[in-house]
């Protein structure tokens, strides 16, 4: 049986309720239990990292943020991967 290394989740319609809120204590407790088993917790979203950081300011133990639909990955506040869309392909400049 494969060992779980990472749990990743989207936010809208997954972690958040209809009012775009989440149970802070419950999520922090889950993350703590995952960390006790050496499992990383990741938030993946189309949102930008700055927005995600503000949303989850009360949940500081998130291991990774996969932002901008995978174009940016942030670990411990540092971008470890970034691949922005080239300016020539951007619709709005």
């Amino acid at each position: 049986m494969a060992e779980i290394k990472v749990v990743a989740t989207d936010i809208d319609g997954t972690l958040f309720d209809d009012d775009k809120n989440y149970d802070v204590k419950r999520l922090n407790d889950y993350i703590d239990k995952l960390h006790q088993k050496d499992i990383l917790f990741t938030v993946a979203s189309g949102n930008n990292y700055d927005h995600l950081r503000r949303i989850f300011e009360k949940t500081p133990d998130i291991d990774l943020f996969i932002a901008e639909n995978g174009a940016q990955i942030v670990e411990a506040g540092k971008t470890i991967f970034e691949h922005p869309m080239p300016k020539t392909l951007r619709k709005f400049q």
Side-chain angles (χ1 to χ4, degrees):
M1 185 174 182
E3 186 177 344
I4 297 171
K5 299 287 185 183
V6 176
V7 171
T9 184
D10 185 24
I11 55 175
D12 295 325
T14 307
L15 264 183
F16 291 171
D17 61 22
D18 292 338
D19 297 320
K20 303 230 185 254
N21 296 308
Y22 71 101
D23 186 327
V24 174
K25 182 182 178 337
R26 184 175 176 193
L27 181 59
N28 288 338
D29 288 346
Y30 280 139
I31 292 171
D32 184 52
K33 288 176 183 175
L34 290 171
H35 286 167
Q36 289 174 23
K37 296 181 179 193
D38 293 322
I39 299 171
L40 301 175
F41 182 77
T42 302
V43 169
S45 174
N47 289 287
N48 68 53
Y49 171 66
D50 290 333
H51 181 68
L52 293 172
R53 188 173 40 84
R54 284 190 303 274
I55 291 171
F56 291 102
E57 66 185 353
K58 294 180 181 177
T59 306
D61 292 331
I62 295 172
D63 298 294
L64 294 164
F65 287 94
I66 301 173
E68 311 240 4
N69 292 320
Q72 182 182 23
I73 301 175
V74 178
E75 178 182 30
K78 294 182 182 178
T79 297
I80 60 171
F81 175 83
E82 189 167 30
H83 188 69
M85 183 183 299
K87 287 184 180 183
T88 57
L89 296 178
R90 294 182 189 166
K91 190 174 184 177
F92 305 103
Q93 292 186 12

